[in-house]
Amino acid sequence: MNFLAHLRPQNSDQRLFMAFVAVVLVAGVATLTLDSFGWLALPLVVLGVTVMLIDWRWIYYMLLGTLAFSREVHLPAGLSMDVPSEPLMLVLLVCFVVNVLLGRSEVPGRLWRHPLVLLMGVALLWSVASTISSVDTLKSVKYLLAKTWYIVPFVFVTMALVRTPRDVWRMVAFYAVGVSITVAYTMVRHAGLGFGFDTINVAIQPFYSNHVIYAAAAALLTPYAYFAAREAATKQSRRLWYVVLVLAVGGVSLSYTRASVLALVVAVLYYWIIRLRLTRLALIGATVATILGVNYFIRGDNYMAYAPDYEKTIFYGNNFQKHLEATYNLEDVSGMERVYRWVAAGHMITEKPIIGSGPSTFYPEYKRYTVKSFRTYVSDNPEKSTTHNYFLLQLAEQGIPGFVLFTALIFATLLLIERLYHRARNTQQQNLVMAAGLSFVVIVFHLLLNELLEVDKIGSFYYVSLAVLMRIQFWQEDEAVELPAAEQV
């Protein structure tokens, strides 16, 4: 009896080992009796699942490191999935749920009550309500699922893994490596094509579907790279971050993407808005300007005066300067095609102002609401893109409540950025706030002209930046509690 008691596992490590031995024995017996070698994979699967549930950091880092290389794969019923990013998001979602059920998610309890999380939660619930009356339920359900496996890995898993400022820079480094490799690859290919404006979409293949996503990925990385270089502990790491910075800015500059170039300019301006505590004034000004602008265009159908001349709208594929001139003269085909879809979105909003057409249903629903006067020669839209304005997209697909919730989340985040910066007790925190905050601003600016939040390479860091900002807020709150106690001593 003493001998048997001695053989019994004495701790959790021994119990895990004995359980694994049992799995190996089961796999061996099943292979022999059923004459199927597939059972030999069972121990590897069990081992892999166990490792994922115990330490999921490397899955998260793998996800960040492979985002730049992710490719869209088309599925039946007109659906698609980004591979390997979305499968990895699903794995992290499962790992997180299991760890929550086991009581060891390592996510601060106060995160669930944070205003930003509550806004995301209510927005997701409204998306469910909008899905019920959607014109295409399958697409809307796919949107809900995708939104869930975006928010959980990039908000909650980020919060669980980021415990110190150093963790933030390590996390960004994985993303930076992937983006830097693809930018360097693109530059080499682009150089062989003469750095032409009309060849950038060829040079970025196979990693990016278009130059806008490529430029946006480089642009959102720029603030992180700049402030990471300032925070670097060694000369070697500082030099590496400056290399990343040069590649990111170079990638944006040579992408010929107007939105991304302007986004970096806006980020610099917003840096000073934060420093001078002008965020509230800027948001009020932007709101008033938007209301006045919309009122002007819809009053008396004034928008019809800006209908383009079908014969004059053109794309200067080999001359970027003429492309900019055409934009200024309202003759650029890509710009006027945006207006064509914005007008259609406006009519969709008028018909379903509360519930919208349903998440992810703008295409092809908008074609019933277009105005022929704004049509361009690319209006057939073979790439099946949407409004090229995420705010209008929310209005058209999820109605006024969906738009208000989305805008409220952005406004609350911008106000939080300014508050965190001025409450920071050291430059380390200030640099972190500026890195995450300005990257967030870059992404939001892109949303004015593109719909990039569901793109894995971009939407991921929209949510990552939110998580980093909330984590910084918790650090500051903890410091505020500890400081009085330290002063009493």
Side-chain angles (χ1 to χ4, degrees):
M1 294 294 293
N2 290 334
F3 176 72
L4 294 176
H6 181 72
L7 290 178
R8 183 183 302 166
Q10 302 297 314
N11 53 51
S12 59
D13 291 340
Q14 291 181 3
R15 283 191 287 272
L16 282 173
F17 177 74
M18 293 303 295
F20 182 70
V21 170
V23 170
V24 172
L25 291 174
V26 168
V29 172
T31 300
L32 293 173
T33 57
L34 300 176
D35 195 22
S36 174
F37 288 98
W39 282 94
L40 293 178
L42 179 63
L44 294 177
V45 172
V46 171
L47 182 61
V49 171
T50 303
V51 170
M52 285 190 297
L53 294 176
I54 294 175
D55 189 353
W56 26 322
R57 287 175 302 172
W58 293 108
I59 305 170
Y60 179 78
Y61 293 143
M62 185 188 303
L63 170 59
L64 293 179
T66 57
L67 277 173
F69 307 102
S70 185
R71 297 286 307 279
E72 184 180 35
V73 175
H74 295 284
L75 303 174
L79 302 178
S80 62
M81 173 174 280
D82 296 311
V83 179
S85 61
E86 289 193 283
L88 288 173
M89 291 180 209
L90 280 167
V91 171
L92 282 172
L93 173 62
V94 172
C95 290
F96 179 79
V97 171
V98 170
N99 277 274
V100 168
L101 295 175
L102 294 176
R104 48 188 182 86
S105 67
E106 299 181 4
V107 171
R110 52 187 161 169
L111 175 67
W112 303 96
R113 304 185 300 274
H114 195 283
L116 299 187
V117 172
L118 293 177
L119 281 171
M120 282 187 278
V122 174
L124 193 60
L125 288 175
W126 179 254
S127 297
V128 174
S130 183
T131 296
I132 295 173
S133 62
S134 173
V135 298
D136 191 329
T137 305
L138 182 61
K139 285 185 177 179
S140 296
V141 169
K142 165 62 167 64
Y143 169 91
L144 291 173
L145 293 174
K147 189 65 72 174
T148 302
W149 66 61
Y150 266 74
I151 291 175
V152 171
F154 295 119
V155 175
F156 291 95
V157 175
T158 299
M159 284 293 295
L161 298 183
V162 172
R163 301 176 187 175
T164 67
R166 187 178 178 182
D167 293 332
V168 177
W169 303 125
R170 181 187 298 112
M171 170 192 71
V172 176
F174 279 89
Y175 179 75
V177 169
V179 172
S180 298
I181 291 173
T182 58
V183 169
Y185 164 87
T186 298
M187 285 184 171
V188 171
R189 291 196 69 195
H190 203 192
L193 298 170
F195 285 115
F197 173 42
D198 57 338
T199 57
I200 180 62
N201 278 324
V202 176
I204 61 175
Q205 300 300 326
F207 303 119
Y208 300 88
S209 57
N210 59 62
H211 69 103
V212 176
I213 296 175
Y214 166 73
L220 74 87
L221 178 60
T222 301
Y224 279 109
Y226 175 74
F227 288 101
R230 294 182 61 174
E231 279 296 306
T234 65
K235 288 184 179 180
Q236 183 179 5
S237 59
R238 185 176 298 111
R239 288 170 183 165
L240 289 173
W241 279 115
Y242 277 129
V243 169
V244 172
L245 177 62
V246 170
L247 284 171
V249 175
V252 172
S253 303
L254 294 172
S255 69
Y256 302 105
T257 307
R258 294 160 294 181
S260 298
V261 173
L262 285 174
L264 292 184
V265 174
V266 169
V268 173
L269 294 175
Y270 208 82
Y271 171 85
W272 290 105
I273 288 176
I274 295 171
R275 291 284 302 269
L276 299 175
R277 301 176 186 266
L278 298 175
T279 298
R280 284 179 176 79
L281 185 61
L283 293 178
I284 292 171
T287 303
V288 171
T290 300
I291 293 172
L292 292 177
V294 170
N295 183 62
Y296 166 76
F297 283 111
I298 65 176
R299 185 193 304 166
D301 290 340
N302 284 340
Y303 71 91
M304 290 299 297
Y306 296 88
D309 185 333
Y310 185 88
E311 299 299 329
K312 288 185 178 180
T313 52
I314 190 169
F315 174 64
Y316 290 96
N318 57 356
N319 192 318
F320 188 60
Q321 183 176 351
K322 286 188 176 181
H323 183 56
L324 293 177
E325 290 175 4
T327 302
Y328 176 77
N329 294 324
L330 301 181
E331 295 176 352
D332 163 49
V333 69
S334 64
M336 296 318 297
E337 178 61 20
R338 281 181 168 85
V339 177
Y340 176 70
R341 299 184 198 177
W342 294 349
V343 170
H347 286 92
M348 289 177 67
I349 295 163
T350 301
E351 183 168 308
K352 295 181 177 180
I354 304 301
I355 204 70
S357 63
S360 197
T361 60
F362 184 82
Y363 180 91
E365 185 70 9
Y366 82 96
K367 292 191 174 184
R368 299 196 296 114
Y369 300 88
T370 57
V371 176
K372 290 184 178 179
S373 300
F374 287 85
R375 185 176 175 82
T376 70
Y377 70 84
V378 296
S379 293
D380 290 341
N381 191 11
E383 72 278 12
K384 300 181 180 181
S385 57
T386 62
T387 55
H388 291 299
N389 182 300
Y390 201 81
F391 295 87
L392 268 178
L393 185 66
Q394 291 293 298
L395 273 168
E397 292 186 344
Q398 300 189 45
I400 294 173
F403 165 79
V404 169
L405 288 167
F406 177 68
T407 305
L409 175 62
I410 289 176
F411 278 27
T413 304
L414 295 175
L415 292 170
L416 178 64
I417 293 167
E418 181 180 288
R419 187 164 68 250
L420 294 177
Y421 178 81
H422 290 284
R423 287 182 178 178
R425 298 181 181 276
N426 52 61
T427 57
Q428 184 183 53
Q429 276 191 10
Q430 288 181 332
N431 287 334
L432 270 178
V433 171
M434 281 297 187
L438 296 183
S439 182
F440 181 83
V441 168
V442 166
I443 295 171
V444 170
F445 184 82
H446 276 88
L447 298 182
L448 295 172
L449 297 171
N450 298 281
E451 59 283 354
L452 297 176
L453 213 53
E454 275 70 55
V455 176
D456 56 346
K457 297 172 173 63
I458 314 301
S460 55
F461 265 75
Y462 172 87
Y463 292 111
V464 164
S465 293
L466 291 175
V468 170
L469 291 169
M470 288 187 284
R471 173 57 80 182
I472 295 171
Q473 181 179 357
F474 294 160
W475 289 336
Q476 291 184 357
E477 290 173 354
D478 293 339
E479 290 172 357
V481 172
E482 294 172 0
L483 187 62
E487 290 177 347
Q488 292 176 6
V489 176

